[in-house]
Amino acid sequence: MVDLDMESMAGAIGVSVPVLRFLLCFVTTIPVSFLSRFIPSRIGRHVYSAGSGAFLSYLSFGFSSNLHFLVPMLLGYLSMVLFRAKCGIITFFLGFGYLIGCHVYYMSGDAWKEGGIDATGALMVLTLKVISCAINYNDGLLKEENLREPQKKNRLIQLPSLIEYCGYCLCCGSHFAGPVYEMKDYLEWIERKGMWSGPWPSPYGATLRALLQAGFCMALYLYLVPHYPLSRFMEPIYQEWGFWKRLSYQYMSGFTARWKYYFIWSLSEASIIISGLGFSGWTESSPPKPKWDRAKNVDILGVELAKSAVQLPLVWNIQVSTWLRHYVYDRLVQPGKKPGFFQLLATQTVSAVWHGLYPGYMIFFVQSALMIAGSRVIYRWQQALPPKMDIAKKIMVFLNFAYTILVLNYSCVGFMVLSMHETIASYRSVSYIGTILPIVLILLGYVIKPARPVRSKVRKDQ
């Protein structure tokens, strides 16, 4: 009877039974996270955090999911116990190695495209948590004066206990879809220390806002998706369209797909906020208001109206972008040197591997590196214009905005269709404009090197 009800419910909203089961468990993280506020003891909160996450994983994905989660968790913990001086790099490669193996075995991207679901998405989040915990414990051995500010803030001097570690890894509010956060923040939240030491601000207004946002995002996605199916890229009618109609369809298909992610992240944000963990301090306004940025994974208007491709990592999948910056990008920069295209490309490659070994992912993240590098060239030209050329500056701002919209939605087709054949076919249908344009801008950046702004020279003369 339950199965029949699940099938009818799934059919009513146009998803498969496994996806419906996942969504129900995902929504359940909100009341489960709310109840965590009322558990009196520190150990009890760790047990509740680990147990509730494991139980909801079991309901959503089956018993095998928790076995998959145990592998990187144990590998990370053992490396911290046995090889502290190298535990960060060991856990990084072992964690990613196991994740890649699961990506290959399950081929999750194909399942997701066809409406299926498995535990690989949750494993992706868990892998980042395990790696960051090990790297921060590794940083605990280093001299504080040699560390960047995020390293100083997040480093771990003492090894977390096994129950603390399990609670952090499986905390149900972030276990399914993020956001990723630091072990140190989790421990302070559980132990009611740091910013959680005093009375907590009410989370209900912020939680309601996140839930209303999630409802709007899902409604818009369900309305748009029948009009812009990914299958149309390979249909004869698409080939009959002109260049501009194909380009506009690429924009609308990318625009449509993003609302699915906005929905998931908004629900996850609600879960973290209502637990109290999403609290991140107070504004400087009078009177001060609580901030809930720790749970924020996307700025919807920031993505859709981004003035520059450089802004996108700051507003899309925010916590993973922060993780990539702190644990990949910054650590590839040699002391005393500035980051360049290599660090950007390496970071985007790690992000691609984290998502899965599909050609579409690889192409998309290489495209992203080109897109950001091209946007930086436009920005440098804009900054080099003297203040009196205000109209020209505004034109450059608009050009960067238009460039970002075009290249982002061109590039994200690869992220959505995944296969090499479909990705190349969609790019070819618009004459590879989103690949050629960034490369041309990067090359022009080497030729047209703008002088420093006039105001900088004035200051130097003074």
Side-chain angles (χ1 to χ4, degrees):
M1 186 68 179
V2 174
D3 289 338
L4 289 175
D5 289 340
M6 289 282 284
E7 287 181 11
S8 60
M9 288 171 62
I13 61 174
V15 299
S16 64
V17 171
V19 170
L20 176 62
R21 190 181 298 115
F22 165 76
L23 288 174
L24 291 174
C25 290
F26 194 35
V27 171
T28 304
T29 64
I30 296 173
V32 170
S33 295
F34 173 69
L35 292 175
S36 69
R37 302 167 66 93
F38 304 103
I39 297 175
S41 71
R42 180 180 64 85
I43 295 297
R45 288 192 284 270
H46 285 304
V47 172
Y48 180 82
S49 181
S52 60
F55 181 65
L56 288 175
S57 295
Y58 163 73
L59 292 179
S60 184
F61 309 119
F63 180 73
S64 63
S65 65
N66 288 313
L67 296 180
H68 280 303
F69 301 148
L70 276 176
V71 174
M73 287 170 63
L74 288 175
L75 290 173
Y77 201 78
L78 286 173
S79 71
M80 289 192 291
V81 171
L82 301 175
F83 309 103
R84 183 175 184 180
K86 299 290 184 182
C87 65
I89 194 73
I90 291 172
T91 305
F92 188 97
F93 283 104
L94 290 179
F96 266 99
Y98 187 74
L99 178 62
I100 290 168
C102 288
H103 275 315
V104 172
Y105 181 77
Y106 286 105
M107 297 302 286
S108 303
D110 290 332
W112 296 340
K113 280 174 64 179
E114 296 168 5
I117 196 79
D118 59 46
T120 315
L123 183 63
M124 290 165 64
V125 176
L126 177 70
T127 300
L128 300 188
K129 285 184 175 182
V130 166
I131 291 171
S132 64
C133 183
I135 291 177
N136 289 325
Y137 187 55
N138 200 155
D139 285 347
L141 291 175
L142 305 178
K143 293 181 178 179
E144 189 170 343
E145 58 267 23
N146 297 330
L147 301 178
R148 297 182 178 89
E149 285 305 314
Q151 291 177 278
K152 293 177 184 177
K153 177 180 177 294
N154 298 319
R155 69 180 187 148
L156 299 169
I157 304 301
Q158 294 181 330
L159 178 71
S161 70
L162 196 56
I163 189 58
E164 290 172 339
Y165 181 73
C166 290
Y168 167 68
C169 289
L170 298 175
C171 184
C172 77
S174 71
H175 183 45
F176 285 109
V180 177
Y181 48 80
E182 301 293 347
M183 168 65 92
K184 203 163 186 181
D185 291 334
Y186 168 80
L187 291 175
E188 288 187 351
W189 169 65
I190 287 286
E191 296 168 7
R192 308 305 194 242
K193 294 180 179 179
M195 67 178 62
W196 292 278
S197 58
W200 295 3
S202 170
Y204 304 121
T207 302
L208 181 60
R209 178 200 56 78
L211 288 173
L212 291 174
Q213 179 175 289
F216 174 80
C217 294
M218 177 49 71
L220 187 58
Y221 174 72
L222 292 175
Y223 171 75
L224 289 173
V225 74
H227 300 287
Y228 302 100
L230 297 179
S231 58
R232 189 152 296 158
F233 287 112
M234 302 307 294
E235 292 176 1
I237 190 173
Y238 177 80
Q239 303 303 322
E240 295 170 5
W241 292 342
F243 173 84
W244 292 109
K245 190 169 183 179
R246 292 175 186 174
L247 201 60
S248 65
Y249 190 85
Q250 289 190 359
Y251 168 78
M252 285 306 302
S253 63
F255 177 79
T256 299
R258 285 194 289 276
W259 291 96
K260 175 176 61 176
Y261 295 98
Y262 297 156
F263 163 73
I264 289 291
W265 287 331
S266 297
L267 272 186
S268 187
E269 184 177 346
S271 180
I272 296 293
I273 288 173
I274 204 166
S275 72
L277 179 55
F279 178 57
S280 56
W282 299 88
T283 64
E284 295 180 0
S285 60
S286 181
K289 297 179 181 179
K291 295 188 294 185
W292 303 96
D293 296 344
R294 197 182 314 282
K296 194 176 182 65
N297 227 355
V298 69
D299 177 352
I300 296 174
L301 291 179
V303 174
E304 301 302 333
L305 302 176
K307 293 181 180 179
S308 165
V310 179
Q311 295 177 356
L312 290 174
L314 305 176
V315 292
W316 170 267
N317 207 355
I318 296 169
Q319 305 306 331
V320 170
S321 296
T322 301
W323 189 97
L324 288 167
R325 170 172 283 278
H326 289 168
Y327 297 104
V328 182
Y329 187 84
D330 286 344
R331 291 169 189 265
L332 290 175
V333 180
Q334 295 181 359
K337 293 189 177 181
K338 292 183 177 180
F341 185 70
F342 166 74
Q343 284 79 13
L344 178 60
L345 183 60
T347 304
Q348 295 299 86
T349 302
V350 170
S351 184
V353 170
W354 179 70
H355 282 85
L357 298 184
Y358 284 89
Y361 286 145
M362 301 296 177
I363 294 171
F364 169 77
F365 285 104
V366 171
Q367 275 285 139
S368 298
L370 293 173
M371 175 178 67
I372 292 171
S375 189
R376 283 174 174 167
V377 172
I378 299 175
Y379 181 75
R380 285 198 298 270
W381 291 343
Q382 171 198 325
Q383 292 297 101
L385 293 171
K388 62 183 178 182
M389 298 182 66
D390 188 53
I391 294 177
K393 275 182 173 287
K394 289 179 179 177
I395 291 172
M396 293 299 288
V397 170
F398 175 77
L399 288 176
N400 209 346
F401 167 71
Y403 162 86
T404 299
I405 286 178
L406 187 153
V407 181
L408 171 64
N409 291 286
Y410 163 92
S411 302
C412 74
V413 174
F415 190 94
M416 296 183 297
V417 301
L418 299 182
S419 77
M420 175 73 78
H421 173 66
E422 291 178 83
T423 302
I424 297 301
S426 67
Y427 289 180
R428 185 172 59 241
S429 72
V430 290
S431 305
Y432 299 100
I433 185 172
T435 303
I436 293 171
L437 188 56
I439 291 174
V440 168
L441 283 171
I442 293 168
L443 294 176
L444 283 175
Y446 288 107
V447 177
I448 307 173
K449 294 185 177 181
R452 291 182 180 179
V454 176
R455 60 179 179 272
S456 297
K457 292 182 178 179
V458 172
R459 286 174 185 165
K460 191 174 181 181
D461 291 339
Q462 290 174 344

